[in-house]
């Protein structure tokens, strides 16, 4: 029972019927401990959700005021740089807050609604949406896509694909390559980049990112959480100079 214990699971550790006093005491201690841990975890998740919701309004106000300020007058070069830095910081704060809210919703299974979707046209449309970014970075994109129908959550699939493709772009180099392969059993997104493998032990941890990354360190965490939620596996591999997420 202890090996199977999951902090996010609603199932409690059952009381074992025994006449041995030490085992009774141990059972009560374990049950009490697991209940406290779950309660603390629930409080922490509630706090994260509430904090993220409360941040939505002031972030929107700051964005609105900055937009108004930028349209009011001519600024010096130094003032323009300060405003641009503020705008960049607020944009990152907005993305971080949205990511935290999404994580809470995924973990609490608040994003229900499965439909049958054809994955191939979804990926093709996404490639078209990213076309200007590919061109700007000089990336060569190749796609081998088979037909694949899934009964799944379209919104979560869209977030997953966006995260993985954005990751392949962000961590690529100028004039690099991205390969997308869809078969009946798996989807592979491969990209060139640094010629060393990523650290698999920290890859999917929250807020972990490379020093050169402009992201918030939650993209791969959200991707792994989505896969766990939908019953898929997300794996990383590095071979022949290609970083591969499967």
């Amino acid at each position: 029972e202890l090996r199977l214990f999951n902090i996010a699971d609603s199932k409690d550790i059952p009381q074992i019927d025994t006449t041995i006093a030490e085992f009774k005491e141990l059972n009560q201690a374990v049950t009490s401990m697991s209940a406290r841990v779950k309660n603390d975890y629930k409080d922490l998740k509630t706090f994260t959700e509430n904090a993220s919701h409360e941040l939505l309004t002031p972030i929107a106000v700051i964005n609105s005021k900055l937009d108004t300020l930028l349209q009011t007058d001519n600024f010096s070069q130094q003032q323009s740089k300060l405003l641009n830095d503020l705008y960049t910081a607020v944009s990152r704060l907005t993305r971080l807050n949205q990511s935290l809210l999404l994580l809470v919703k995924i973990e609490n299974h608040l994003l229900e609604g499965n439909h049958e979707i054809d994955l191939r046209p979804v990926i093709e449309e996404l490639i078209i949406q990213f076309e200007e970014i590919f061109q700007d970075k000089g990336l060569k994109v190749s796609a081998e896509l088979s037909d694949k129908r899934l009964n799944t959550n379209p919104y979560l699939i869209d977030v997953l694909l966006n995260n993985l493709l954005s990751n392949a772009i962000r961590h690529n180099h100028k004039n690099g390559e991205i390969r997308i392969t869809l078969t009946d059993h798996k989807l592979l997104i491969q990209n060139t980049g640094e010629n060393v493998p990523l650290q698999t032990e920290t890859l999917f941890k929250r807020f972990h990112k490379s020093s050169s990354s402009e992201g918030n360190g939650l993209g791969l965490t959200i991707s792994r959480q989505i896969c766990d939620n939908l019953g898929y596996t997300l794996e990383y591999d590095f071979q022949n100079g290609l970083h591969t997420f499967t």
Side-chain angles (χ1 to χ4, degrees), residues 192-245:
T192 50
E194 290 189 22
N195 203 28
V196 289
L198 301 174
Q199 296 179 346
T200 52
E201 64 273 11
T202 56
L203 189 58
F204 298 104
K205 286 189 176 180
R206 297 184 185 194
F207 302 111
H208 174 78
K209 59 179 182 176
S210 65
S211 56
S212 60
S213 174
E214 295 178 0
N216 56 32
L218 286 173
L220 288 178
T221 305
I222 290 172
S223 299
R224 167 63 69 84
Q225 197 71 47
I226 289 173
C227 287
D228 289 346
N229 189 269
L230 297 178
Y232 308 138
T233 58
L234 179 60
E235 298 172 349
Y236 166 78
D237 189 31
F238 178 74
Q239 285 186 5
N240 302 322
L242 288 174
H243 300 272
T244 303
F245 285 91

Side-chain angles (χ1 to χ4, degrees), residues 90 95 225:
V90 173
R95 292 196 301 271
Q225 197 71 47

Side-chain angles (χ1 to χ4, degrees), residues 118-142:
D118 190 348
L119 200 56
R120 179 176 180 173
V122 173
I123 296 172
E124 289 173 339
E125 177 63 30
L126 193 61
I127 292 172
I128 293 171
Q129 290 175 16
F130 278 95
E131 193 169 359
E132 288 185 5
I133 302 174
F134 294 145
Q135 291 175 356
D136 186 55
K137 205 166 181 177
L139 298 174
K140 178 186 175 184
V141 180
S142 59

Side-chain angles (χ1 to χ4, degrees), residues 8-215:
D9 197 350
S10 58
K11 179 186 172 187
D12 293 323
I13 293 179
Q15 287 279 0
I16 307 298
D17 210 9
T18 176
T19 57
I20 301 172
E22 288 84 357
F23 285 173
K24 278 186 177 179
E25 187 178 349
L26 175 63
N27 201 171
Q28 289 168 357
V30 167
T31 304
S32 175
M33 178 196 70
S34 63
R36 287 199 308 272
V37 167
K38 283 188 175 184
N39 191 55
D40 289 346
Y41 176 69
K42 184 180 177 182
D43 288 345
L44 185 60
K45 283 209 298 183
T46 302
F47 167 78
T48 305
E49 185 176 9
N50 291 342
S52 296
H53 274 297
E54 290 299 322
L55 281 170
L56 286 174
T57 301
I59 288 174
V61 170
I62 293 170
N63 268 315
S64 175
K65 298 294 183 184
L66 277 173
D67 285 337
T68 305
L69 184 61
L70 287 169
Q71 296 168 19
T72 53
D73 208 345
N74 293 324
F75 299 101
S76 67
Q77 188 172 353
Q78 184 183 9
Q79 289 172 324
S80 296
K81 184 181 182 306
L82 289 171
L83 280 171
N84 186 60
D85 290 345
L86 275 173
Y87 220 87
T88 302
V90 173
S91 295
R92 290 185 68 178
L93 183 60
T94 303
R95 292 196 301 271
L96 174 62
N97 195 50
Q98 289 171 341
S99 296
L100 285 171
L101 269 175
L102 180 59
L103 262 178
V104 170
K105 288 178 180 178
I106 295 170
E107 288 175 346
N108 290 326
H109 303 282
L110 298 177
L111 296 167
E112 301 297 333
N114 286 0
H115 303 286
E116 188 176 89
I117 62 169
D118 190 348
L119 200 56
R120 179 176 180 173
V122 173
I123 296 172
E124 289 173 339
E125 177 63 30
L126 193 61
I127 292 172
I128 293 171
Q129 290 175 16
F130 278 95
E131 193 169 359
E132 288 185 5
I133 302 174
F134 294 145
Q135 291 175 356
D136 186 55
K137 205 166 181 177
L139 298 174
K140 178 186 175 184
V141 180
S142 59
E144 293 183 24
L145 308 175
S146 302
D147 290 321
K148 177 63 180 177
R149 303 194 73 84
L150 293 172
N151 187 32
T152 188
N153 186 303
Y155 173 70
L156 290 181
I157 288 293
D158 190 55
V159 173
L160 173 65
L161 294 175
N162 263 286
N163 280 355
L164 293 177
L165 199 51
S166 296
N167 189 69
I169 296 169
R170 187 181 296 117
H171 297 286
N172 219 319
H173 53 66
K174 193 80 173 175
N175 301 318
E177 185 181 357
I178 293 177
R179 300 178 188 175
I180 304 170
T181 307
L182 174 65
T183 71
D184 191 48
H185 301 292
K186 59 186 176 182
L187 169 68
L188 290 86
I189 296 181
Q190 301 172 290
N191 64 277
T192 50
E194 290 189 22
N195 203 28
V196 289
L198 301 174
Q199 296 179 346
T200 52
E201 64 273 11
T202 56
L203 189 58
F204 298 104
K205 286 189 176 180
R206 297 184 185 194
F207 302 111
H208 174 78
K209 59 179 182 176
S210 65
S211 56
S212 60
S213 174
E214 295 178 0

